[in-house]
């Protein structure tokens, strides 16, 4: 989800200076989350439907933070709730993995950070831009108006990032080349899981 700020700058929707300011403000908002509400995250080797079913069976307030591929989802919540979910998964022979993160990102536990960040968003001018940007939390393209961008970014912190829907939407719209810019090939691997044997190409650019 943080990468959307880079995309908005590249698309001309946001100036580089404002993009940097917002990323700093977003980090500062997370840093102010009080101890006891930080939580953690758990990787599940399950697709969206099975992950939702497991969480429902657990009966605890755990959020689906990321829907990464037909074979991977990420749960997010309080330490004790994630621990209980991990135990439930273990009892069913499902191997899980705790993520090395400091917070329960994309869960209701981040509401305070979201509220603080929303105030910073109102200080920025968003432009019409020169390219479309797909929002990972909605699976839709950002609207033209400034209010459209604000409405997505101001709620992104607590919403699910649906990478599966995003890749499927881009593919349906004719995208056949996916370029990953970063230190690894994680996203390219997820795209392979999603698109399978359909015709497409990937390119990785290490930074």
């Amino acid at each position: 989800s943080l990468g959307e700020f880079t995309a908005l700058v590249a698309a001309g929707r946001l100036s580089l200076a404002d993009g940097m300011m917002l990323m700093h403000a977003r980090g500062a908002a997370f840093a102010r989350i009080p101890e006891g509400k930080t939580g953690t995250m758990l990787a599940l080797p399950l697709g969206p439907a099975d992950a939702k079913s497991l969480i429902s069976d657990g009966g605890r307030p755990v959020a689906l933070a990321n829907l990464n591929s037909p074979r991977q989802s990420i749960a997010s919540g309080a330490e004790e709730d994630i621990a209980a979910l991990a135990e439930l998964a273990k009892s069913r022979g499902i191997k899980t993995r705790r993520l090395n993160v400091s917070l329960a990102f994309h869960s209701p536990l981040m509401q305070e950070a979201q509220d603080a960040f929303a105030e910073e968003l109102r200080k920025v001018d968003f432009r019409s831009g020169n390219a479309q940007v797909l929002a990972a939390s909605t699976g839709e393209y950002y609207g033209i108006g400034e209010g459209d961008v604000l409405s997505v970014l101001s709620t992104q912190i607590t919403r699910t990032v649906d990478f599966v829907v995003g890749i499927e939407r881009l593919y349906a719209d004719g995208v056949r080349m996916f370029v990953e810019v970063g230190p690894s090939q994680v996203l390219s691997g997820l795209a392979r899981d999603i698109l399978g044997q359909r015709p497409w190409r990937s390119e990785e650019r290490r930074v």
Side-chain angles (χ1 to χ4, degrees), residues 2-135:
L2 186 62
E4 280 180 36
F5 291 92
T6 304
L8 288 167
V9 170
R13 303 297 304 269
L14 188 62
S15 72
L16 177 59
D18 283 341
M20 294 294 288
M21 184 277 286
L22 286 177
M23 285 193 286
H24 178 271
R26 193 172 186 260
F30 283 131
R32 290 195 292 270
I33 295 291
E35 197 169 337
K37 289 189 176 182
T38 52
T40 190
M41 304 176 80
L42 186 73
L44 305 169
L46 303 171
D50 289 337
K52 290 175 184 176
S53 178
L54 180 69
I55 289 172
S56 177
D57 290 347
R60 287 174 174 262
V62 172
L64 261 181
N66 301 75
L67 303 177
N68 288 340
S69 81
R71 298 190 298 172
Q72 186 189 89
S73 301
I74 308 295
S76 184
E79 288 277 354
E80 61 273 20
D81 295 327
I82 290 297
L85 183 65
E87 282 300 315
L88 175 61
K90 183 179 179 181
S91 72
R92 297 182 178 183
I94 301 169
K95 294 183 179 180
T96 62
R97 177 173 56 88
R98 284 282 191 112
L99 300 189
N100 184 24
V101 295
S102 58
L103 296 169
F105 296 108
H106 296 289
S107 79
L109 288 177
M110 299 298 102
Q111 187 63 54
E112 290 181 39
Q114 181 166 282
D115 293 342
F117 186 57
E119 293 297 320
E120 298 300 320
L121 283 169
R122 297 187 184 97
K123 301 176 184 178
V124 171
D125 292 323
F126 292 95
R127 307 163 180 174
S128 57
N130 51 36
Q132 290 184 307
V133 176
L134 191 73

Side-chain angles (χ1 to χ4, degrees), residues 134-156:
L134 191 73
S137 61
T138 65
E140 300 292 337
Y141 295 101
Y142 279 88
I144 297 299
E146 182 171 338
D148 298 313
V149 180
L150 282 172
S151 67
V152 174
L153 291 180
S154 63
T155 59
Q156 181 200 58

